[in-house]
Amino acid sequence: MEYAFGGLAACGACLFTNPLDVVKTRMQLQGELLSRGAYSVLYKNSLHAFYVVAKNDGIKGLQKGLVPALWYQMTMNGTRLGLYHFMENRGWTHSHGSVSSVFSIAAGAVSGALGAFTASPFYLIKTQLQSQSSQTIAVGCQHNHTGFLSAIQKLYYSGGITGLWRGVTASMMRTGVGSAAQLSTFTKSRETINNLNILPHNSWKSTLAAAMLSGVAVAVAMTPFDVISTRLYNQTLDRYGKGVYYSGPFDCLIKVFKAEGFFGLYKGCLANYLRVGPHSVLTLTIWTFLRETKFEGST
């Protein structure tokens, strides 16, 4: 039941935030391994990217990769939020009767990393579909998939079952860091807000405020790992099945830093926050509502 609650909450959020994910992906791939000024800036900022994608790929272009994105959210967040709630119920995130920041961060990181591992194939396909565009605004490698199922077949035939988990290490790092920041900040913020009686105790207002704070923490902590994941998942492979640009997450980190500088690791940061912020608010609010409704209905 907790798996279903977590997955449904994230899918509901994804329907609204997937266009922001498309914009974020394009901006993270723009100017790959090139210094500033050495490439044409097709996407100037988040709002401009929205306009450019809609103009060249149509309104539907803003929902590219929606099917694998929904599967990713269902699988990853079902595992992540369900496992985190299990740890909460066991008391593993508390110390001396209150939420422990250290234990919450650890629980969030572990649940996030496991969720990312189970859902990695969907993230791989989502990224490659979201990067596809008309030639005039293309950035990064173009894989020319015709859809979700054809992408699965193509990736399986080229790399086998393990090929579907290419880049999983970076994804586990990304989601582990993001989950640790999100869930620990959300849990601690909600407890603090309730204790200070700033807003009605355990109300949707306190949940919303805590979720908004957690969104800021996620965007700051996760964006560099998000950039690395996008680059690794989207790169093409040579005839030996190795990435043509990066051999792994640390190699990607070093190359991006050397070629694009520190801010290269924060490409698409605003777009990421605009996605993560509403996504965190919607996911955590829906998740909390479903959990508390279940609890009230069982009493």
Side-chain angles (χ1 to χ4, degrees), residues 41-63:
V41 180
L42 299 173
Y43 307 103
K44 297 178 182 178
N45 52 55
S46 301
L47 290 176
H48 182 254
F50 258 96
Y51 169 75
V52 171
V53 173
K55 179 182 178 182
N56 290 272
D57 294 340
I59 296 298
K60 289 184 177 179
L62 291 168
Q63 285 288 15

Side-chain angles (χ1 to χ4, degrees), residues 241-261:
K242 305 295 184 181
V244 296
Y245 294 140
Y246 319 105
S247 61
F250 293 107
D251 181 56
C252 181
L253 172 67
I254 293 170
K255 286 181 177 177
V256 171
F257 183 79
K258 285 183 176 180
E260 303 171 52

Side-chain angles (χ1 to χ4, degrees), residues 1-13 70 73-79 81-82 283 287 290:
M1 186 62 71
E2 294 302 334
Y3 183 99
F5 284 166
L8 288 172
C11 285
L70 289 172
Q73 294 296 338
M74 185 69 194
T75 307
M76 191 276 287
N77 279 299
T79 302
L81 296 178
T283 298
W287 180 51
L290 290 172

Side-chain angles (χ1 to χ4, degrees), residues 7 19 21 23 44 113 127 193 199 262 299:
D21 203 14
V23 168
K44 297 178 182 178
T127 300
I193 291 170
L199 296 169
F262 173 78
T299 57

Side-chain angles (χ1 to χ4, degrees), residues 228-290:
I228 292 169
S229 292
T230 298
R231 298 286 181 89
L232 287 172
Y233 276 125
N234 195 64
Q235 71 173 338
T236 54
L237 305 179
D238 61 21
R239 58 181 180 144
Y240 301 107
K242 305 295 184 181
V244 296
Y245 294 140
Y246 319 105
S247 61
F250 293 107
D251 181 56
C252 181
L253 172 67
I254 293 170
K255 286 181 177 177
V256 171
F257 183 79
K258 285 183 176 180
E260 303 171 52
F262 173 78
F263 290 107
L265 293 168
Y266 274 89
K267 279 187 174 179
C269 184
L270 179 58
N272 197 26
Y273 174 70
L274 293 175
R275 181 192 72 85
V276 168
H279 196 279
S280 291
V281 169
L282 289 168
T283 298
L284 295 174
T285 302
I286 295 171
W287 180 51
T288 301
F289 172 78
L290 290 172

Side-chain angles (χ1 to χ4, degrees), residues 61-295:
L62 291 168
Q63 285 288 15
K64 283 192 174 184
L66 179 60
V67 173
L70 289 172
W71 277 107
Y72 172 73
Q73 294 296 338
M74 185 69 194
T75 307
M76 191 276 287
N77 279 299
T79 302
R80 181 176 72 99
L81 296 178
L83 183 58
Y84 185 82
H85 185 53
F86 171 80
M87 294 180 183
E88 273 190 317
N89 286 343
R90 292 277 179 163
W92 297 348
T93 61
H94 289 66
S95 178
H96 305 296
S98 63
V99 175
S100 166
S101 297
V102 174
F103 293 161
S104 293
I105 290 172
V110 170
S111 59
L114 290 175
F117 178 82
T118 59
S120 185
F122 300 120
Y123 194 93
L124 171 65
I125 297 168
K126 173 189 76 72
T127 300
Q128 294 188 0
L129 286 175
Q130 288 176 340
S131 69
Q132 290 185 184
S133 63
S134 59
Q135 193 59 41
T136 54
I137 58 169
V139 291
C141 302
Q142 299 292 294
H143 297 273
N144 300 317
H145 299 309
T146 57
F148 175 49
L149 294 178
S150 68
I152 293 177
Q153 292 177 337
K154 185 176 178 180
L155 290 166
Y156 176 75
Y157 289 145
S158 64
I161 192 68
T162 57
L164 293 172
W165 266 267
R166 175 166 57 89
V168 68
T169 303
S171 183
M172 291 176 71
M173 293 168 62
R174 167 194 177 274
T175 311
V177 169
S179 182
Q182 183 192 55
L183 294 176
S184 61
T185 306
F186 173 72
T187 305
K188 191 66 178 178
S189 297
R190 193 165 186 245
E191 180 188 63
T192 301
I193 291 170
N194 286 331
N195 290 339
L196 293 175
N197 294 317
I198 299 173
L199 296 169
H201 194 269
N202 285 337
S203 66
W204 68 268
K205 293 180 181 178
S206 63
T207 300
L208 181 63
M212 291 176 67
L213 290 172
S214 73
V216 176
V218 173
V220 173
M222 191 176 71
T223 295
F225 299 95
D226 200 50
V227 170
I228 292 169
S229 292
T230 298
R231 298 286 181 89
L232 287 172
Y233 276 125
N234 195 64
Q235 71 173 338
T236 54
L237 305 179
D238 61 21
R239 58 181 180 144
Y240 301 107
K242 305 295 184 181
V244 296
Y245 294 140
Y246 319 105
S247 61
F250 293 107
D251 181 56
C252 181
L253 172 67
I254 293 170
K255 286 181 177 177
V256 171
F257 183 79
K258 285 183 176 180
E260 303 171 52
F262 173 78
F263 290 107
L265 293 168
Y266 274 89
K267 279 187 174 179
C269 184
L270 179 58
N272 197 26
Y273 174 70
L274 293 175
R275 181 192 72 85
V276 168
H279 196 279
S280 291
V281 169
L282 289 168
T283 298
L284 295 174
T285 302
I286 295 171
W287 180 51
T288 301
F289 172 78
L290 290 172
R291 290 167 58 197
E292 293 181 351
T293 300
K294 175 204 171 189
F295 177 76

